[in-house]
Amino acid sequence: MTAHFTVLAKDSVSKARLGRLVTAHGAVETPCFMPVGTQGTVKAMLPRDLREIGCQILLGNTYHLYLRPGHELIRELGGLHRFMGWDGPILTDSGGYQVFSLGAMRKISEDGSCFQSHLDGSSHLLTPEKAVEIQEALGSDIAMVLDECIPHDATRDYVLSSTGRTIRWAERCLNARRKPDQLLFGIIQGGLFEDLRRWCAETMSSLPFEGFAVGGLGVGEGEARLHRIGAFTVDLLPQERPRYLMGVGRPQDIISAVRAGFDMFDCVIPTRNARNGTLFTWQGKVNIKRAEFAADPRPLDETCGCYCCRNFSRAYLRHLYVAGEILSSQLNSLHNLYFYHRLMDKCREAIRVGRSELWPQWNEPGTAT
Ligand SMILES: [Zn+2]
């Protein structure tokens, strides 16, 4: 049952683990970061380049692919791997988070989540069974149960009833699954209430999921609560299954969560920031738009080995951004994803070697010159 995940080593000074997750499209070394491929593409990145920077696994968005081009079409064309030219592992979300972010355009009932398409206004009902059906049609290696991502300021009554429904939806997803080679992860909700997180984690852990995710964090609750609830919840999950912190986050959040015992991460920050000209370096964040870079011949990060830093100057990257060139998004995305993957390399190395001084350091306010 749990042979798909092996804990290879445990850190001596934190709760971090080094692991290996085996999927139908290959193995993933954890802790790992999953770039977000919203519409069957990680924006501005060729699959070939994702491979080259060491990307092991991608995240695909069920909501977007269901609405366009449609999961049946993708199934007919051989599944999402063939469709997008990526033969490595893919995790798909359930669509629940995108429906959550639509706010007023959706209505949740026991049956499922009724929402209007952001594309044409058409009405759709996303049930737990439908979420499983869509993800099976896409053919992802890891599917997620349908859940409700609860706003961080929700009342206790709301969190209680919503979390109960998320648990019932998770059981319906298990009953609906038809593909034994697709792993299915349960999602822990419970808002900012420790007793509700415990109830959800313990109930989900008693169900035959191949992994568990913690959702509903990184949605505006603030850094202190994110770290506190995240660390509290991950401690309640089985040691022998992978644990995924959904949608988080910044480099310092990931380092902290790895040390708390999380194994998997996804976030749009590296790619979205790249397209906005905000770049991660080991000296801090760099805003490439700034005039001070107009004639700067140095690479973005002199310690970075990515294609962007090996071949281009800050002056050129700033020029591409200011001129609105497509290559700006491509080079910036390549660099930021390279940075995130080296960040995960460093975390894995620190656990493997067991030396606390090897943990990567990152401070958000630090801004390089
Ligand atoms: Zn670079």
Side-chain angles (χ1 to χ4, degrees):
M1 184 66 223
T2 58
H4 63 280
F5 184 69
T6 312
V7 176
L8 302 171
K10 289 183 182 176
D11 189 32
S12 54
V13 292
S14 73
K15 293 176 178 173
R17 317 104 64 75
L18 186 72
R20 185 178 163 84
L21 172 63
V22 177
T23 77
H25 284 82
V28 176
E29 283 185 64
T30 64
C32 71
F33 179 79
M34 301 181 280
V36 178
T38 304
Q39 311 211 55
T41 163
V42 177
K43 291 188 194 302
M45 290 291 294
L46 295 175
R48 183 184 66 198
D49 294 339
L50 288 167
R51 273 280 179 221
E52 194 177 295
I53 64 168
C55 174
Q56 307 183 80
I57 175 171
L58 299 183
L59 183 143
N61 282 129
T62 286
Y63 169 85
H64 289 280
L65 296 171
Y66 161 71
L67 289 179
R68 182 176 60 192
H71 59 295
E72 290 298 350
L73 179 73
I74 292 176
R75 192 210 305 263
E76 284 164 26
L77 293 171
L80 183 56
H81 292 84
R82 180 178 295 181
F83 189 55
M84 67 182 289
W86 171 260
D87 62 2
I90 297 175
L91 178 148
T92 43
D93 65 8
S94 68
Y97 182 79
Q98 264 80 27
V99 171
F100 155 80
S101 61
L102 293 172
M105 288 168 70
R106 57 121 170 94
K107 193 167 183 298
I108 293 177
S109 66
E110 185 64 28
D111 196 21
S113 189
C114 190
F115 67 93
Q116 281 186 297
S117 163
H118 73 288
L119 296 173
D120 61 8
S122 56
S123 289
H124 301 263
L125 177 63
L126 185 63
T127 62
E129 293 78 14
K130 187 77 180 178
V132 170
E133 179 200 321
I134 297 168
Q135 293 178 86
E136 290 188 348
L138 297 174
S140 57
D141 300 279
I142 304 171
M144 303 300 299
V145 298
L146 184 67
D147 66 328
E148 185 194 353
C149 183
I150 304 168
H152 69 90
D153 55 357
T155 64
R156 183 182 168 85
D157 280 351
Y158 188 85
V159 176
L160 179 63
S161 71
S162 169
T163 302
R165 187 168 51 216
T166 283
I167 292 170
R168 293 188 294 278
W169 283 1
E171 290 167 340
R172 284 168 58 186
C173 286
L174 278 170
N175 290 331
R177 71 191 298 195
R178 297 288 175 267
K179 279 186 66 177
D181 62 336
Q182 184 182 49
L183 308 179
L184 183 62
F185 283 17
I187 302 177
I188 316 304
Q189 292 291 346
L192 303 175
F193 302 97
E194 290 189 352
D195 59 328
L196 300 185
R197 285 279 175 185
R198 177 183 296 280
W199 167 51
C200 191
E202 290 177 351
T203 311
M204 288 285 183
S205 299
S206 71
L207 299 171
F209 289 112
E210 283 86 23
F212 297 94
V214 175
L217 292 176
V219 292
E221 72 281 2
E223 182 173 314
R225 284 189 269 193
L226 160 65
H227 291 176
R228 178 172 62 80
I229 297 291
F232 174 82
T233 309
V234 74
D235 258 351
L236 304 169
L237 297 173
Q239 287 278 342
E240 68 281 7
R241 314 274 174 92
R243 303 138 151 197
Y244 163 27
L245 180 57
M246 302 179 83
V248 176
R250 303 171 303 170
Q252 67 269 37
D253 298 328
I254 292 179
I255 295 165
S256 167
V258 167
R259 293 173 69 99
F262 281 103
D263 308 300
M264 302 168 71
F265 302 89
D266 80 283
C267 194
V268 296
I269 283 177
T271 41
R272 180 179 291 164
N273 279 9
R275 298 194 301 281
N276 293 331
T278 300
L279 304 173
F280 292 91
T281 78
W282 291 104
Q283 290 74 47
K285 280 203 291 191
V286 170
N287 183 343
I288 202 65
K289 289 166 273 199
R290 288 166 61 157
E292 65 187 281
F293 300 127
D296 193 334
R298 293 175 294 171
L300 170 65
D301 183 342
E302 276 155 325
T303 69
C304 179
C306 88
Y307 174 79
C308 173
C309 292
R310 281 189 286 112
N311 289 281
F312 306 100
S313 64
R314 296 177 183 184
Y316 184 62
L317 295 177
R318 177 178 185 272
H319 160 70
L320 290 179
Y321 184 86
V322 170
E325 281 293 335
I326 295 169
L327 189 59
S328 172
S329 292
Q330 293 176 289
L331 291 176
N332 291 353
S333 300
L334 182 90
H335 167 81
N336 274 0
L337 285 175
Y338 187 94
F339 175 91
Y340 264 66
H341 284 83
R342 299 298 78 74
L343 177 76
M344 304 316 294
D345 286 352
K346 286 172 189 273
C347 289
R348 289 196 300 270
E349 185 63 13
I351 304 167
R352 185 182 291 117
V353 178
R355 283 168 48 191
S356 56
E357 70 272 20
L358 291 183
W359 279 94
Q361 301 288 325
W362 171 265
N363 296 305
E364 182 77 16
T367 303
T369 55

